[in-house]
Amino acid sequence: MKTYERLLLENKAWAKGKVDGDPEYFHRLSQLQTPEFLWIGCSDSRVPANEITNTQPGEIFVHRNVANMVVHTDVNLLSVLDFAVSHLKVKHVIVCGHYGCGGIKAAMTNHDYKQVLNMWLRNIKDVYRLHRTELDACPDEESKFDRLVELNVKEQVMHLVKTSIIQRAWKNEQRPDIHGWVYGLKDGIINPVFEMKAGTHIDPLYEYDDL
Ligand code: CO
């Protein structure tokens, strides 16, 4: 059996298991999705949103990219954000990074990853530059790496709040709260590192006053 054929076989077994436990399961899910959460996570195969939070299909709307970035020119991310916030009306947005993130590690080097990856990783280098004093004071490379993972999550939360999508929802509907979390590959535990409740004020430079 080819490796990908195993996935199709497992899918059949999974679907059968779901229907055996609840004959209406797929019918109900096919009618409507009302997730309470938007998850912006890393593409890393070891950090699957549903599995590590023990949630089911229908509970979390998911966007993943390398190093869980919120880049203002990323139409993909912004479309997901707008749909989740303005239409699905999620109550919480979670940016979840993870210790040991390869994207963060790569951004800490001076290696040329060629154009597209260089472009993406430059956004992480900008986070480093913003927090250079704190990061350069870390006692060793490992703690610096861990701290950059945490600070990157914090900055991506801030990037979300700079969008009119979030600011409009905060003004009109007092949601969503935005959470910055970091998952530990070594212990499976999520560490909440930063939070911005709906309505929190940020640098006025970024606040729209005519939403
Ligand atoms: Co990663």
Side-chain angles (χ1 to χ4, degrees), residues 164-210:
S164 57
I165 297 167
I166 292 294
Q167 290 186 24
R168 194 174 295 112
W170 278 11
K171 183 183 176 198
N172 297 333
E173 301 179 41
Q174 295 75 52
R175 61 159 188 89
D177 294 334
I178 309 190
H179 311 266
W181 293 353
V182 178
Y183 173 78
L185 292 175
K186 290 177 182 167
D187 59 10
I189 300 298
I190 292 170
N191 177 26
V193 293
F194 190 64
E195 185 176 79
M196 291 202 85
K197 295 265 193 215
T200 308
H201 284 283
I202 56 169
D203 186 331
L205 189 64
Y206 296 102
E207 288 192 341
Y208 299 100
D209 59 9
D210 56 351

Short mmCIF file of all heavy atoms in Angstrom, two decimals, residues 164-210:
data_model
loop_
_atom_site.label_atom_id
_atom_site.label_comp_id
_atom_site.label_asym_id
_atom_site.label_seq_id
_atom_site.Cartn_x
_atom_site.Cartn_y
_atom_site.Cartn_z
N SER A 164 -8.49 47.16 10.66
CA SER A 164 -9.84 47.72 10.84
C SER A 164 -10.85 46.60 11.05
O SER A 164 -11.91 46.82 11.64
CB SER A 164 -10.22 48.58 9.63
OG SER A 164 -10.13 47.83 8.45
N ILE A 165 -10.53 45.39 10.61
CA ILE A 165 -11.43 44.25 10.81
C ILE A 165 -11.66 44.03 12.31
O ILE A 165 -12.79 43.94 12.79
CB ILE A 165 -10.84 42.96 10.18
CG1 ILE A 165 -10.69 43.13 8.67
CG2 ILE A 165 -11.68 41.74 10.53
CD1 ILE A 165 -9.83 42.05 8.00
N ILE A 166 -10.56 43.96 13.07
CA ILE A 166 -10.66 43.76 14.52
C ILE A 166 -11.22 45.01 15.19
O ILE A 166 -12.11 44.94 16.05
CB ILE A 166 -9.29 43.38 15.12
CG1 ILE A 166 -8.86 42.00 14.64
CG2 ILE A 166 -9.32 43.46 16.65
CD1 ILE A 166 -9.73 40.85 15.13
N GLN A 167 -10.72 46.17 14.81
CA GLN A 167 -11.16 47.41 15.49
C GLN A 167 -12.66 47.65 15.30
O GLN A 167 -13.35 48.10 16.22
CB GLN A 167 -10.35 48.60 14.99
CG GLN A 167 -8.90 48.55 15.46
CD GLN A 167 -8.11 49.80 15.11
OE1 GLN A 167 -8.68 50.87 14.91
NE2 GLN A 167 -6.80 49.66 15.00
N ARG A 168 -13.20 47.33 14.11
CA ARG A 168 -14.63 47.52 13.86
C ARG A 168 -15.45 46.56 14.72
O ARG A 168 -16.48 46.94 15.30
CB ARG A 168 -14.93 47.30 12.37
CG ARG A 168 -16.31 47.80 11.96
CD ARG A 168 -16.53 47.72 10.45
NE ARG A 168 -15.63 48.59 9.72
CZ ARG A 168 -14.63 48.18 8.91
NH1 ARG A 168 -14.42 46.89 8.75
NH2 ARG A 168 -13.87 49.03 8.29
N ALA A 169 -15.01 45.31 14.82
CA ALA A 169 -15.74 44.32 15.64
C ALA A 169 -15.67 44.70 17.12
O ALA A 169 -16.65 44.55 17.85
CB ALA A 169 -15.14 42.92 15.43
N TRP A 170 -14.53 45.23 17.55
CA TRP A 170 -14.41 45.66 18.94
C TRP A 170 -15.37 46.81 19.22
O TRP A 170 -16.03 46.82 20.27
CB TRP A 170 -12.96 46.13 19.22
CG TRP A 170 -12.01 45.01 19.52
CD1 TRP A 170 -12.25 43.67 19.36
CD2 TRP A 170 -10.68 45.13 20.04
NE1 TRP A 170 -11.15 42.94 19.74
CE2 TRP A 170 -10.17 43.81 20.16
CE3 TRP A 170 -9.87 46.19 20.40
CZ2 TRP A 170 -8.89 43.56 20.65
CZ3 TRP A 170 -8.59 45.94 20.88
CH2 TRP A 170 -8.11 44.64 20.99
N LYS A 171 -15.44 47.75 18.30
CA LYS A 171 -16.29 48.92 18.51
C LYS A 171 -17.77 48.55 18.50
O LYS A 171 -18.54 48.98 19.36
CB LYS A 171 -16.01 49.95 17.41
CG LYS A 171 -16.79 51.25 17.61
CD LYS A 171 -16.55 52.22 16.46
CE LYS A 171 -17.42 53.47 16.64
NZ LYS A 171 -17.54 54.21 15.38
N ASN A 172 -18.18 47.72 17.55
CA ASN A 172 -19.60 47.44 17.37
C ASN A 172 -20.12 46.27 18.20
O ASN A 172 -21.29 46.22 18.55
CB ASN A 172 -19.90 47.16 15.89
CG ASN A 172 -19.61 48.39 15.03
OD1 ASN A 172 -19.68 49.52 15.52
ND2 ASN A 172 -19.25 48.17 13.77
N GLU A 173 -19.25 45.29 18.48
CA GLU A 173 -19.75 44.07 19.12
C GLU A 173 -18.93 43.60 20.32
O GLU A 173 -19.17 42.52 20.85
CB GLU A 173 -19.86 42.96 18.07
CG GLU A 173 -20.79 43.35 16.92
CD GLU A 173 -20.90 42.26 15.85
OE1 GLU A 173 -20.98 41.08 16.21
OE2 GLU A 173 -20.88 42.61 14.66
N GLN A 174 -17.95 44.39 20.73
CA GLN A 174 -17.13 44.07 21.91
C GLN A 174 -16.56 42.65 21.87
O GLN A 174 -16.50 41.95 22.89
CB GLN A 174 -17.91 44.29 23.22
CG GLN A 174 -18.29 45.75 23.47
CD GLN A 174 -19.44 46.22 22.59
OE1 GLN A 174 -20.48 45.57 22.54
NE2 GLN A 174 -19.26 47.32 21.87
N ARG A 175 -16.16 42.21 20.74
CA ARG A 175 -15.49 40.92 20.54
C ARG A 175 -14.65 41.05 19.28
O ARG A 175 -14.90 41.99 18.52
CB ARG A 175 -16.51 39.77 20.39
CG ARG A 175 -17.39 39.99 19.18
CD ARG A 175 -18.07 38.80 18.60
NE ARG A 175 -18.67 39.26 17.35
CZ ARG A 175 -18.06 39.25 16.18
NH1 ARG A 175 -16.86 38.76 16.06
NH2 ARG A 175 -18.62 39.73 15.11
N PRO A 176 -13.75 40.16 19.02
CA PRO A 176 -13.29 39.02 19.81
C PRO A 176 -12.12 39.42 20.73
O PRO A 176 -11.42 40.39 20.47
CB PRO A 176 -12.78 38.07 18.72
CG PRO A 176 -12.25 38.98 17.66
CD PRO A 176 -13.09 40.23 17.69
N ASP A 177 -11.95 38.64 21.80
CA ASP A 177 -10.72 38.75 22.58
C ASP A 177 -9.61 38.06 21.77
O ASP A 177 -9.88 37.10 21.04
CB ASP A 177 -10.87 38.05 23.94
CG ASP A 177 -11.91 38.75 24.81
OD1 ASP A 177 -12.12 39.96 24.63
OD2 ASP A 177 -12.50 38.07 25.67
N ILE A 178 -8.39 38.57 21.94
CA ILE A 178 -7.29 38.00 21.16
C ILE A 178 -6.22 37.44 22.10
O ILE A 178 -5.81 38.11 23.05
CB ILE A 178 -6.69 39.05 20.21
CG1 ILE A 178 -7.83 39.69 19.42
CG2 ILE A 178 -5.65 38.41 19.28
CD1 ILE A 178 -7.42 40.57 18.30
N HIS A 179 -5.83 36.21 21.85
CA HIS A 179 -4.94 35.49 22.75
C HIS A 179 -3.65 35.08 22.04
O HIS A 179 -3.70 34.62 20.90
CB HIS A 179 -5.63 34.22 23.26
CG HIS A 179 -7.02 34.45 23.79
ND1 HIS A 179 -7.28 34.68 25.11
CD2 HIS A 179 -8.22 34.53 23.15
CE1 HIS A 179 -8.58 34.87 25.28
NE2 HIS A 179 -9.17 34.78 24.11
N GLY A 180 -2.54 35.26 22.72
CA GLY A 180 -1.25 34.80 22.20
C GLY A 180 -0.77 33.63 23.04
O GLY A 180 -0.54 33.76 24.24
N TRP A 181 -0.64 32.48 22.40
CA TRP A 181 -0.25 31.26 23.12
C TRP A 181 1.00 30.66 22.49
O TRP A 181 1.28 30.86 21.30
CB TRP A 181 -1.37 30.18 23.01
CG TRP A 181 -2.65 30.52 23.71
CD1 TRP A 181 -2.91 31.58 24.54
CD2 TRP A 181 -3.88 29.76 23.64
NE1 TRP A 181 -4.21 31.53 24.99
CE2 TRP A 181 -4.83 30.43 24.46
CE3 TRP A 181 -4.26 28.59 22.98
CZ2 TRP A 181 -6.14 29.96 24.62
CZ3 TRP A 181 -5.55 28.11 23.14
CH2 TRP A 181 -6.48 28.80 23.95
N VAL A 182 1.74 29.88 23.30
CA VAL A 182 2.88 29.14 22.76
C VAL A 182 2.78 27.68 23.22
O VAL A 182 2.67 27.41 24.42
CB VAL A 182 4.23 29.75 23.20
CG1 VAL A 182 5.38 28.91 22.65
CG2 VAL A 182 4.36 31.19 22.69
N TYR A 183 2.82 26.78 22.26
CA TYR A 183 2.70 25.34 22.52
C TYR A 183 4.09 24.73 22.70
O TYR A 183 5.03 25.09 21.98
CB TYR A 183 1.98 24.69 21.33
CG TYR A 183 1.92 23.19 21.35
CD1 TYR A 183 1.02 22.52 22.15
CD2 TYR A 183 2.76 22.43 20.52
CE1 TYR A 183 0.95 21.13 22.15
CE2 TYR A 183 2.70 21.04 20.51
CZ TYR A 183 1.79 20.40 21.33
OH TYR A 183 1.73 19.03 21.33
N GLY A 184 4.20 23.83 23.67
CA GLY A 184 5.48 23.17 23.91
C GLY A 184 5.54 21.81 23.23
O GLY A 184 4.77 20.91 23.59
N LEU A 185 6.44 21.65 22.27
CA LEU A 185 6.57 20.36 21.58
C LEU A 185 7.02 19.27 22.55
O LEU A 185 6.70 18.10 22.37
CB LEU A 185 7.60 20.45 20.45
CG LEU A 185 7.25 21.32 19.23
CD1 LEU A 185 8.44 21.38 18.29
CD2 LEU A 185 6.03 20.79 18.51
N LYS A 186 7.76 19.67 23.59
CA LYS A 186 8.35 18.67 24.49
C LYS A 186 7.38 18.15 25.54
O LYS A 186 7.58 17.07 26.09
CB LYS A 186 9.58 19.25 25.19
CG LYS A 186 10.76 19.44 24.24
CD LYS A 186 11.94 20.07 24.96
CE LYS A 186 13.10 20.31 23.99
NZ LYS A 186 14.12 21.19 24.58
N ASP A 187 6.35 18.95 25.88
CA ASP A 187 5.42 18.48 26.91
C ASP A 187 3.95 18.55 26.50
O ASP A 187 3.06 18.13 27.25
CB ASP A 187 5.62 19.25 28.24
CG ASP A 187 5.43 20.75 28.08
OD1 ASP A 187 4.97 21.18 27.00
OD2 ASP A 187 5.74 21.50 29.03
N GLY A 188 3.67 19.12 25.31
CA GLY A 188 2.29 19.18 24.83
C GLY A 188 1.44 20.23 25.52
O GLY A 188 0.22 20.29 25.32
N ILE A 189 2.08 21.08 26.32
CA ILE A 189 1.33 22.08 27.09
C ILE A 189 1.36 23.44 26.40
O ILE A 189 2.39 23.89 25.89
CB ILE A 189 1.92 22.22 28.52
CG1 ILE A 189 1.83 20.88 29.27
CG2 ILE A 189 1.20 23.33 29.31
CD1 ILE A 189 0.42 20.35 29.48
N ILE A 190 0.19 24.11 26.40
CA ILE A 190 0.09 25.46 25.82
C ILE A 190 0.32 26.50 26.92
O ILE A 190 -0.32 26.45 27.97
CB ILE A 190 -1.30 25.67 25.17
CG1 ILE A 190 -1.44 24.79 23.92
CG2 ILE A 190 -1.48 27.15 24.79
CD1 ILE A 190 -2.85 24.76 23.36
N ASN A 191 1.22 27.43 26.63
CA ASN A 191 1.56 28.49 27.58
C ASN A 191 0.96 29.82 27.09
O ASN A 191 1.39 30.34 26.06
CB ASN A 191 3.11 28.59 27.65
CG ASN A 191 3.58 29.70 28.54
OD1 ASN A 191 2.88 30.13 29.46
ND2 ASN A 191 4.79 30.19 28.28
N PRO A 192 -0.05 30.36 27.80
CA PRO A 192 -0.61 31.65 27.38
C PRO A 192 0.40 32.75 27.71
O PRO A 192 0.83 32.87 28.85
CB PRO A 192 -1.87 31.81 28.24
CG PRO A 192 -2.07 30.49 28.92
CD PRO A 192 -0.72 29.83 28.99
N VAL A 193 0.80 33.55 26.71
CA VAL A 193 1.84 34.55 26.96
C VAL A 193 1.37 36.00 26.82
O VAL A 193 2.02 36.91 27.31
CB VAL A 193 3.07 34.36 26.02
CG1 VAL A 193 3.79 33.06 26.34
CG2 VAL A 193 2.68 34.41 24.55
N PHE A 194 0.24 36.20 26.17
CA PHE A 194 -0.19 37.57 25.91
C PHE A 194 -1.68 37.56 25.59
O PHE A 194 -2.19 36.59 25.03
CB PHE A 194 0.59 38.15 24.72
CG PHE A 194 0.40 39.62 24.51
CD1 PHE A 194 0.81 40.55 25.45
CD2 PHE A 194 -0.21 40.09 23.33
CE1 PHE A 194 0.65 41.91 25.24
CE2 PHE A 194 -0.38 41.45 23.11
CZ PHE A 194 0.04 42.36 24.07
N GLU A 195 -2.38 38.66 25.97
CA GLU A 195 -3.81 38.70 25.70
C GLU A 195 -4.25 40.14 25.48
O GLU A 195 -3.78 41.05 26.15
CB GLU A 195 -4.54 38.13 26.92
CG GLU A 195 -6.04 38.00 26.72
CD GLU A 195 -6.70 37.33 27.92
OE1 GLU A 195 -6.91 38.01 28.94
OE2 GLU A 195 -6.99 36.13 27.84
N MET A 196 -5.13 40.36 24.53
CA MET A 196 -5.74 41.67 24.37
C MET A 196 -7.25 41.49 24.33
O MET A 196 -7.80 40.92 23.39
CB MET A 196 -5.24 42.36 23.11
CG MET A 196 -3.77 42.76 23.20
SD MET A 196 -3.32 44.08 22.07
CE MET A 196 -3.78 45.52 23.00
N LYS A 197 -7.90 41.98 25.40
CA LYS A 197 -9.36 41.90 25.47
C LYS A 197 -9.96 42.89 24.48
O LYS A 197 -9.37 43.94 24.22
CB LYS A 197 -9.83 42.25 26.88
CG LYS A 197 -9.37 41.27 27.94
CD LYS A 197 -10.42 40.23 28.20
CE LYS A 197 -10.11 39.46 29.46
NZ LYS A 197 -10.51 38.04 29.35
N ALA A 198 -11.16 42.59 24.01
CA ALA A 198 -11.84 43.50 23.10
C ALA A 198 -11.95 44.88 23.72
O ALA A 198 -12.30 45.01 24.89
CB ALA A 198 -13.23 42.96 22.78
N GLY A 199 -11.61 45.90 22.94
CA GLY A 199 -11.73 47.28 23.43
C GLY A 199 -10.44 47.86 23.99
O GLY A 199 -10.37 49.04 24.32
N THR A 200 -9.40 47.03 24.13
CA THR A 200 -8.12 47.53 24.63
C THR A 200 -7.57 48.60 23.67
O THR A 200 -7.67 48.45 22.45
CB THR A 200 -7.09 46.37 24.70
OG1 THR A 200 -7.66 45.29 25.42
CG2 THR A 200 -5.80 46.84 25.38
N HIS A 201 -7.03 49.67 24.25
CA HIS A 201 -6.45 50.70 23.38
C HIS A 201 -5.00 50.39 23.04
O HIS A 201 -4.27 49.83 23.84
CB HIS A 201 -6.59 52.08 24.03
CG HIS A 201 -7.99 52.61 23.93
ND1 HIS A 201 -8.51 53.14 22.77
CD2 HIS A 201 -8.99 52.63 24.85
CE1 HIS A 201 -9.77 53.48 22.98
NE2 HIS A 201 -10.09 53.17 24.22
N ILE A 202 -4.64 50.76 21.82
CA ILE A 202 -3.25 50.56 21.38
C ILE A 202 -2.68 51.92 21.01
O ILE A 202 -3.37 52.94 21.14
CB ILE A 202 -3.18 49.59 20.17
CG1 ILE A 202 -4.06 50.10 19.02
CG2 ILE A 202 -3.61 48.19 20.60
CD1 ILE A 202 -3.86 49.35 17.72
N ASP A 203 -1.46 51.96 20.56
CA ASP A 203 -0.84 53.19 20.08
C ASP A 203 -1.83 53.92 19.15
O ASP A 203 -2.27 53.36 18.14
CB ASP A 203 0.43 52.82 19.31
CG ASP A 203 1.24 54.04 18.89
OD1 ASP A 203 0.63 55.11 18.67
OD2 ASP A 203 2.47 53.91 18.78
N PRO A 204 -2.22 55.17 19.51
CA PRO A 204 -3.24 55.90 18.74
C PRO A 204 -2.90 56.03 17.25
O PRO A 204 -3.79 56.19 16.42
CB PRO A 204 -3.27 57.29 19.39
CG PRO A 204 -2.53 57.18 20.65
CD PRO A 204 -1.69 55.95 20.63
N LEU A 205 -1.64 55.91 16.94
CA LEU A 205 -1.21 55.96 15.54
C LEU A 205 -1.97 54.94 14.69
O LEU A 205 -2.25 55.16 13.51
CB LEU A 205 0.29 55.64 15.51
CG LEU A 205 1.07 55.82 14.22
CD1 LEU A 205 1.10 57.28 13.80
CD2 LEU A 205 2.49 55.30 14.40
N TYR A 206 -2.32 53.80 15.34
CA TYR A 206 -2.95 52.70 14.60
C TYR A 206 -4.47 52.63 14.77
O TYR A 206 -5.10 51.75 14.23
CB TYR A 206 -2.35 51.36 15.05
CG TYR A 206 -0.88 51.20 14.76
CD1 TYR A 206 0.06 51.37 15.76
CD2 TYR A 206 -0.44 50.87 13.48
CE1 TYR A 206 1.42 51.21 15.50
CE2 TYR A 206 0.91 50.71 13.21
CZ TYR A 206 1.83 50.88 14.22
OH TYR A 206 3.17 50.73 13.96
N GLU A 207 -5.02 53.54 15.58
CA GLU A 207 -6.46 53.45 15.86
C GLU A 207 -7.26 54.27 14.86
O GLU A 207 -7.02 55.46 14.69
CB GLU A 207 -6.76 53.91 17.30
CG GLU A 207 -6.27 52.92 18.35
CD GLU A 207 -6.81 53.22 19.74
OE1 GLU A 207 -7.25 54.38 19.96
OE2 GLU A 207 -6.81 52.31 20.58
N TYR A 208 -8.26 53.63 14.25
CA TYR A 208 -9.14 54.33 13.31
C TYR A 208 -10.24 55.03 14.12
O TYR A 208 -10.83 54.42 15.01
CB TYR A 208 -9.76 53.36 12.30
CG TYR A 208 -8.70 52.68 11.46
CD1 TYR A 208 -8.28 51.38 11.75
CD2 TYR A 208 -8.11 53.33 10.38
CE1 TYR A 208 -7.30 50.76 10.99
CE2 TYR A 208 -7.13 52.72 9.61
CZ TYR A 208 -6.73 51.44 9.93
OH TYR A 208 -5.75 50.83 9.19
N ASP A 209 -10.52 56.31 13.80
CA ASP A 209 -11.54 57.01 14.60
C ASP A 209 -12.84 57.23 13.82
O ASP A 209 -13.75 57.90 14.29
CB ASP A 209 -10.99 58.35 15.13
CG ASP A 209 -10.54 59.29 14.02
OD1 ASP A 209 -10.81 58.96 12.83
OD2 ASP A 209 -9.93 60.31 14.32
N ASP A 210 -12.93 56.65 12.63
CA ASP A 210 -14.16 56.84 11.86
C ASP A 210 -14.67 55.50 11.30
O ASP A 210 -15.16 55.41 10.19
CB ASP A 210 -13.93 57.82 10.69
CG ASP A 210 -12.80 57.39 9.79
OD1 ASP A 210 -12.06 56.44 10.14
OD2 ASP A 210 -12.63 58.00 8.71
#
